[in-house]
Amino acid sequence: MDLPIPFCQQTNRVVSHPIPLHPDEIVAYYAMRRFGLTYFPDIANADFVFRTDQEPLFEGKTWQEHRAEGTVCLGTNGGPFDEHPFGDEPRKERETTASLIAKYLGVTEKPELRLILGYILKNDLHAERDDPLMDFAESVRCSFVFPVMAPKQALFMHLCNLESIYCGQQKFQAAADDLRRAKTIRVKASHREYVIITAMTKNEDFTKYVRSKQANTKVSLIIIKNPETDGMFISPRKGYVEQTHIDHIARIVRLAENKHRNRSSALDMFELTKEGSTDETPEWYFVHDNLHNRGVPSAIPLEELTELIAAVLSRNIKSA
């Protein structure tokens, strides 16, 4: 995109269209503040004006004249950051205020921003509701339609929400990198195929990412080993792994741990699926169908653990 606005020009004020403010203008303003200090100096201290607050501001002035005075127009008054038709300017098709700002700043390809920009486009053009960022759009709508705080207070609350979403996307992108390095194993059983993903990662959002629509893995079970602590985590996906298999995995993991530590096992098959930890095998904690280490790392090598679980899933277990 050509840069029609002078590079590194002081910014004293940001003006947007009348209330209610839309999600795309809020994302645009967020992008200016987070990525645009070079292009919009002092943006953090610039005043934000809703057009209804100072209607005479626009009388007889073009967006270029406003910019020369240190004012940036978002989604109003025409210009490079307004996708709406204005005067002789046609609508900028398949653009939003947010995407126009992002292109100007050169951040459209940032992976952690791509989901946000994509959703804002769908929401702006089609009022798309089936999306992980729907809650953000709904909170924006409600805060201006049913105000419980001043508009500027609501605006800065939404900026904080966006920062949280953006940081979450950063973690997701780190998890995506871990997933690319992970090992995927497909286990065929008589009635279905299971997908096991084994990864070395300390990212606490790895499991959440792998099961997300973004990752699109159709994973059945995740095995994680933390490279810093050597702790392991086994997480079957509810609905993708039968409860009988989950219980059997708990049994064989505890038995394998005892074998590696030269301990005999006196627990019966039902006690081996006890929630929490057992005195006999304190290394493994079983809760909400997940198994993980507590304190002492497991003595079972990761490859062997994966093979044991794959062997369980390959069997057609009728009952516990």
Side-chain angles (χ1 to χ4, degrees), residues 101-173:
I101 282 285
K103 286 180 179 179
Y104 179 71
L105 298 176
V107 296
T108 53
E109 294 306 311
K110 289 183 76 67
E112 56 268 41
L113 198 59
R114 198 177 299 140
L115 177 77
I116 297 172
L117 292 173
Y119 170 69
I120 291 303
L121 177 64
K122 289 192 293 183
N123 179 266
D124 195 56
L125 297 181
H126 311 295
E128 187 78 28
R129 300 179 64 86
D130 183 21
D131 197 278
L133 289 181
M134 186 181 73
D135 288 345
F136 169 72
E138 285 296 296
S139 69
V140 170
R141 185 185 70 83
C142 291
S143 67
F144 290 106
V145 176
F146 309 106
V148 294
M149 61 182 73
K152 285 186 181 178
Q153 287 180 308
L155 171 64
F156 283 94
M157 177 190 72
H158 296 312
L159 291 179
C160 291
N161 288 342
L162 273 174
E163 179 65 10
S164 176
I165 293 169
Y166 178 78
C167 290
Q169 284 299 301
Q170 284 183 312
K171 289 183 179 179
F172 261 32
Q173 289 308 311

Side-chain angles (χ1 to χ4, degrees), residues 254-255 258-259 263-272 278-281:
R254 282 170 164 165
L255 289 172
N258 288 340
K259 181 179 179 181
R263 295 187 302 225
S264 59
S265 179
L267 298 179
D268 62 30
M269 61 184 295
F270 296 106
E271 290 175 316
L272 284 167
T278 65
D279 292 336
E280 188 179 89
T281 317

